[in-house]
Amino acid sequence: MSNPPEPPESIRRKHADTMPTITESFPRIRSVDRLPASLRVAEEARARRLAEASTTAFETVEFRAPRSGTEVRLARYFGMLGVGTTAATAIAAGSFVHLQHAGPLRNPRRSGYVDVVLSGVVAEANRLWGSEWWLGDLDVFRDTPGTVTRPQIDVLGPAWILRIDRDVLRSWAMRDLSVQRMLHQVHAERYRILETVYGVDQRSTLARLAQLLQYLARRRDVLDTARLVPKDDDVLHGPTQKHLADALGLSLASVEKSMSVLRKHGVLASTGKGRANRAYNILRPELLQAAAHGHAFEAPDLRMA
């Protein structure tokens, strides 16, 4: 049986990429089309399997270093805020947690980050912010961060700060609805705190002070579940009575008088000396909440045993 004629040069160039596979058994044949039908089907099926395996491998396999324990806990924390698993893992990879002692917040004006106060108290423009308060430019749908200069932010005591890369947060907010929902909830909580704690109303000085102390001392269960920071006791560290008075727009004398009432009824005990008190041991959280709601201590249900 004579060999088939050589295919034209144009066919050889067209099928040059198939030569290593089809010439092993048929060295004189340069075109898949010239193979017997059964072998041609087998060759095409093998090529499809190789292509599918290659595509699947590149699409589903992610090569990255093992995650640290902190990154795992951060992903759990974002997940508990409602973020999807994939987005929570990615945002956690672009975040870190650090402990900062009293003093100016490190890199407060760097617009490439968003900071979250996990525990402790910070002062910003005479306002006091507590646990899970977000600092920075949260308008992540803008291409570049805002150019408005942020006021100085002072940490009033040991505080754990979560720092999130803004570009990573923006990237996922643009394509993931769960991240958008988390940011919406953050904005809603900010407005609620501004209205509840710092809003102008007819409450007494005692009620407003109790409301501020309750807010600064609060700690949501999500932080304990995520195990991001050590558990706190019922002691509020950081602000002086002068900080509390400036935050509420009250006189220092009126704040001192209200603090004396709270101590007298066993609601809290202050440590330190005079006006420089920086630690407040909350002995009766339920009475502090009642005072924040405007209840008088003389009421029967609020009498001390």
Side-chain angles (χ1 to χ4, degrees), residues 44-63:
E44 292 173 349
R46 189 178 80 91
R48 284 195 302 270
R49 288 195 301 272
L50 288 175
E52 292 173 358
S54 176
T55 301
T56 302
F58 281 107
E59 288 180 350
T60 61
V61 177
E62 179 184 1
F63 299 95

Side-chain angles (χ1 to χ4, degrees), residues 195-250:
E195 179 66 23
T196 304
V197 179
Y198 295 113
V200 178
D201 53 33
Q202 301 300 318
R203 289 180 299 170
S204 65
T205 298
L206 176 63
R208 295 183 62 196
L209 177 62
Q211 183 76 72
L212 178 57
L213 292 173
Q214 183 186 30
Y215 157 64
L216 295 177
R218 74 168 188 170
R219 179 186 174 95
R220 293 203 305 160
D221 293 339
V222 62
L223 289 175
D224 294 330
T225 303
R227 295 187 300 169
L228 277 178
V229 295
K231 288 187 177 182
D232 288 336
D233 48 20
D234 290 329
V235 178
L236 171 62
H237 297 275
T240 64
Q241 294 185 22
K242 180 68 164 58
H243 285 129
L244 298 173
D246 291 342
L248 295 173
L250 300 171

Side-chain angles (χ1 to χ4, degrees):
M1 180 177 180
S2 60
N3 292 327
E6 285 285 335
E9 182 64 21
S10 60
I11 296 179
R12 288 202 299 270
R13 288 197 302 269
K14 178 180 179 181
H15 298 285
D17 57 335
T18 64
M19 290 175 59
T21 58
I22 67 174
T23 57
E24 295 175 356
S25 301
F26 298 88
R28 301 276 300 179
I29 298 178
R30 298 292 185 266
S31 173
V32 175
D33 295 336
R34 301 297 298 273
L35 286 172
S38 59
L39 293 180
R40 185 169 64 248
V41 172
E43 179 70 15
E44 292 173 349
R46 189 178 80 91
R48 284 195 302 270
R49 288 195 301 272
L50 288 175
E52 292 173 358
S54 176
T55 301
T56 302
F58 281 107
E59 288 180 350
T60 61
V61 177
E62 179 184 1
F63 299 95
R64 66 189 304 272
R67 296 190 295 166
S68 66
T70 300
E71 190 174 331
V72 171
R73 290 190 290 272
L74 281 172
R76 183 187 303 126
Y77 172 70
F78 289 122
M80 296 178 69
L81 296 182
V83 178
T85 302
T86 303
T89 302
I91 297 174
S95 309
F96 65 92
V97 178
H98 66 98
L99 174 65
Q100 179 164 336
H101 296 282
L105 181 65
R106 292 194 290 267
N107 299 326
R109 293 180 176 84
R110 184 171 179 180
S111 57
Y113 292 105
V114 173
D115 293 318
V116 184
V117 181
L118 296 179
S119 69
V121 179
V122 300
E124 180 184 27
N126 287 336
R127 288 288 188 259
L128 301 179
W129 309 120
S131 177
E132 293 193 277
W133 182 264
W134 291 54
L135 300 162
D137 186 4
L138 294 181
D139 187 3
V140 296
F141 298 102
R142 188 170 51 228
D143 291 339
T144 56
T147 57
V148 178
T149 303
R150 291 170 55 181
Q152 178 173 323
I153 300 173
D154 294 315
V155 179
L156 301 183
W160 288 95
I161 307 295
L162 165 61
R163 181 156 287 178
I164 307 172
D165 188 290
R166 185 182 181 276
D167 289 337
V168 174
L169 185 63
R170 178 180 186 275
S171 173
W172 281 95
M174 295 290 288
R175 52 181 162 155
D176 193 293
L177 184 61
S178 67
V179 180
Q180 298 176 23
R181 185 169 56 247
M182 177 190 70
L183 293 175
H184 173 75
Q185 292 171 347
V186 168
H187 282 291
E189 180 66 7
R190 287 166 67 101
Y191 294 138
R192 189 192 69 80
I193 291 173
L194 285 170
E195 179 66 23
T196 304
V197 179
Y198 295 113
V200 178
D201 53 33
Q202 301 300 318
R203 289 180 299 170
S204 65
T205 298
L206 176 63
R208 295 183 62 196
L209 177 62
Q211 183 76 72
L212 178 57
L213 292 173
Q214 183 186 30
Y215 157 64
L216 295 177
R218 74 168 188 170
R219 179 186 174 95
R220 293 203 305 160
D221 293 339
V222 62
L223 289 175
D224 294 330
T225 303
R227 295 187 300 169
L228 277 178
V229 295
K231 288 187 177 182
D232 288 336
D233 48 20
D234 290 329
V235 178
L236 171 62
H237 297 275
T240 64
Q241 294 185 22
K242 180 68 164 58
H243 285 129
L244 298 173
D246 291 342
L248 295 173
L250 300 171
S251 67
L252 181 57
S254 62
V255 169
E256 290 177 340
K257 181 178 179 181
S258 297
M259 294 291 287
S260 298
V261 173
L262 294 175
R263 287 193 292 267
K264 176 182 178 181
H265 289 272
V267 178
L268 59 83
S270 301
T271 60
K273 295 181 179 180
R275 297 179 178 180
N277 290 333
R278 285 186 173 271
Y280 310 94
N281 187 7
I282 300 176
L283 305 175
R284 302 287 299 275
E286 72 281 3
L287 293 185
L288 185 65
Q289 181 178 5
H293 291 166
H295 297 292
F297 283 107
E298 290 74 18
D301 58 334
L302 295 178
R303 292 184 185 277
M304 297 295 297

